[in-house]
Amino acid sequence: MSSNPGDGPDEQNPFKGTPFEALFGGLQGGAGMGGMPDLSALMAQMQSLMQPHDGPINWAVVSDIARKVAAQQPDPTPSQAQKDAIADAVRLADHWLDETTDFSSGVTSTAAWSRAEWIVETLDVWKRLVEPVAGSTVNALGDALPEEARAMAGPLLGMLGKATGAMVASQVGQGIGGLAGDVVGASDIGLPLGPAGKAALLPLNVAAFAEELDVSADDVLLYLALREAAHQRLFAHVPWLREHLIGAVAAYGSGIEINTAGMEEKLRGIDPMNPASMQEAMDGGLFDLSKSPAQQAALERLEVTLALVEGWVDEVVGQATEERMPSAAKMQEAVRRRRAAGGPAEQTFATLVGLELRPRRLRDASVLWGSLRARQGTEGRDGVWMHPDLLPTGADLDDPLGFRETAVAPESLSDEDFEAGLRDLLDGPSADGDTGPERPTE
């Protein structure tokens, strides 16, 4: 024992009094001179988790973990027959949708994906969606320390930052791997996760979905192909929508506040020399992701937009199947419940990463689009997508039948008159004092 109280291990702990004090104490189990941990030994133990990478987390690790999670159940490569069946179903779906909307087909190719292929094909979009949340989480490590502690920690702080990034990568990989077992297509969660124009379904998950219903497998495949093709049409013909949605998720994630007050208890149980103990600490989420009032408002706006996308798809698919597919109503209800409540994997992902992707107001949005079509036709319904300022708000979903209730089917307008009216609606009064059409209030 040191004779100088100032040289004791507590005094040399730069994390004393912070949520990381317990973790530093564990590190001292391998301490060298002066009670400091043997960083070289510890880094050797964690080398596999902390390879050099760009950004807050290592996406190679995310992909590897996600694929291992997906591989816990059989995940065969789709057969040629399954690929042909999906291509035929999407082709027929597009033919039906031609009668429900003036938006032409947005499909440029079709694909049948295994769960592992879904992970690989969607990873680029997941990076944009998750990195803001992951960056906030990793940065919380340094932000939780007083300035003097950060100076004392030196290289140890950098090492812990990498360790935190490795743990977050493990979380994200688990979440994406779990989702791969639930999703049925490239656009299943309302976001354009796959390459633009590629209509893709997962035969294994489509078959699992069909088992839950008393409906023929062919009808299930065609119904889900209709939904996938409808998503592709919407994103192809509303050029701002893809970035609007992905940007909204990224903006929400970048403003997440990490509450480190609850970290201490979990960190206390971590053995730094045992990566498995770090994994156990991540169960249920290591960090408490707090939502400020601004973040809660951002999440509500995101959910409204997701509901509008899903509601439009629900409406046009319902229109296409109304007289052709008697079983469609049963499948529509199953999809609505699935999307509004979220499956077990989606709920786990929300817990781990703090990202909820559930359009809770899908039914209201579907009613709103259907009501608008009944009064204004498909042109009036689909014209709302011309600009984000024209979209219904959360208040409009409170009264979906009342959205533009005085609107009637427009008379035929020239392209010039239509563009002038749209400009007046978006820009307000013109220079000559004409107020133009009254702009809807929020």
Side-chain angles (χ1 to χ4, degrees):
M1 181 177 297
S2 171
S3 59
N4 186 348
D7 290 337
D10 286 345
E11 285 69 22
Q12 294 193 23
N13 183 352
F15 303 111
K16 184 173 176 58
T18 75
F20 308 100
E21 180 177 4
L23 182 57
F24 182 89
L27 289 169
Q28 287 191 318
M33 291 184 61
M36 290 297 291
D38 185 346
L39 298 184
S40 60
L42 183 57
M43 287 298 289
Q45 290 287 330
M46 302 189 67
Q47 185 176 7
S48 62
L49 290 177
M50 298 187 294
Q51 293 296 321
H53 58 84
D54 295 327
I57 59 178
N58 188 333
W59 283 96
V61 171
V62 172
S63 177
D64 183 58
I65 292 174
R67 296 181 68 171
K68 287 178 180 177
V69 170
Q72 291 176 2
Q73 300 294 330
D75 184 31
T77 300
S79 66
Q80 187 59 49
Q82 290 172 321
K83 295 177 182 178
D84 292 342
I86 287 174
D88 290 343
V90 171
R91 191 177 302 112
L92 179 58
D94 257 340
H95 177 67
W96 286 13
L97 291 172
D98 283 339
E99 301 175 14
T100 69
T101 175
D102 291 335
F103 292 162
S104 59
S105 173
V107 176
T108 57
S109 63
T110 62
W113 286 343
S114 66
R115 292 165 177 170
E117 287 171 324
W118 178 86
I119 292 169
V120 173
E121 292 282 353
T122 63
L123 202 61
D124 285 344
V125 176
W126 282 119
K127 290 179 183 179
R128 294 189 58 192
L129 296 174
V130 173
E131 281 204 341
V133 178
S136 297
T137 303
V138 174
N139 291 338
L141 176 79
D143 294 342
L145 295 174
E147 186 175 348
E148 60 274 15
R150 287 197 292 269
M152 292 175 61
L156 181 60
L157 181 60
M159 184 198 66
L160 289 177
K162 289 184 177 180
T164 303
M167 289 189 288
V168 173
S170 177
Q171 272 194 306
V172 175
Q174 287 184 78
I176 294 176
L179 282 176
D182 278 357
V183 295
V184 296
S187 308
D188 195 35
I189 64 171
L191 294 172
L193 294 177
K198 179 176 284 189
L201 294 174
L202 285 72
L204 188 63
N205 293 355
V206 170
F209 179 71
E211 289 177 359
E212 302 171 1
L213 304 169
D214 185 20
V215 178
S216 73
D218 288 343
D219 276 3
V220 172
L221 178 61
L222 178 55
Y223 186 82
L224 296 177
L226 280 160
R227 288 184 51 81
E228 178 67 18
H231 277 104
Q232 294 294 341
R233 286 189 183 225
L234 185 61
F235 285 110
H237 289 276
V238 184
W240 54 265
L241 183 58
R242 176 180 291 264
E243 287 303 314
H244 180 79
L245 271 174
I246 294 176
V249 176
Y252 163 73
S254 63
I256 283 286
E257 298 175 359
I258 310 298
N259 180 6
T260 59
M263 292 170 57
E264 184 173 1
E265 182 176 351
K266 289 191 174 184
L267 287 173
R268 186 180 296 116
I270 291 178
D271 176 3
M273 305 303 291
N274 179 14
S277 71
M278 295 188 178
Q279 182 59 58
E280 293 172 3
M282 299 301 281
D283 293 341
L286 175 61
F287 297 97
D288 181 9
L289 303 177
S290 302
K291 298 183 183 73
S292 67
Q295 286 307 108
Q296 187 61 42
L299 180 59
E300 291 172 0
R301 289 193 298 271
L302 173 61
E303 287 186 338
V304 167
T305 307
L306 283 172
L308 292 173
V309 170
E310 294 291 272
W312 186 89
V313 168
D314 188 74
E315 140 72 6
V316 298
V317 170
Q319 187 183 354
T321 57
E322 186 174 11
E323 298 180 357
R324 291 187 172 102
M325 188 183 288
S327 61
K330 181 180 292 187
M331 289 184 284
Q332 179 187 51
E333 182 61 24
V335 169
R336 283 179 171 182
R337 290 181 179 177
R338 171 188 175 98
R339 291 296 294 118
E346 191 167 339
Q347 293 166 3
T348 299
F349 188 80
T351 300
L352 291 174
V353 185
L355 190 61
E356 295 180 334
L357 299 171
R358 288 177 289 177
R360 293 180 174 87
R361 312 198 65 180
L362 186 158
R363 293 174 189 271
D364 293 333
S366 183
V367 169
L368 183 148
W369 292 123
S371 173
L372 192 57
R373 172 173 59 88
R375 285 180 277 114
Q376 288 194 286
T378 57
E379 183 180 354
R381 177 198 65 194
D382 298 346
V384 175
W385 290 105
M386 291 190 68
H387 193 278
D389 287 353
L390 298 176
L391 288 183
T393 64
D396 292 321
L397 292 182
D398 292 337
D399 181 22
L401 295 177
F403 179 65
R404 299 186 181 175
E405 60 184 346
T406 59
V408 295
E411 297 180 3
S412 179
L413 295 176
S414 68
D415 291 342
E416 293 78 8
D417 289 341
F418 182 80
E419 291 294 336
L422 181 61
R423 256 193 325 270
D424 287 342
L425 182 63
L426 297 178
D427 299 337
S430 60
D432 60 6
D434 181 10
T435 59
E438 182 178 354
R439 187 169 183 172
T441 56
E442 291 292 315

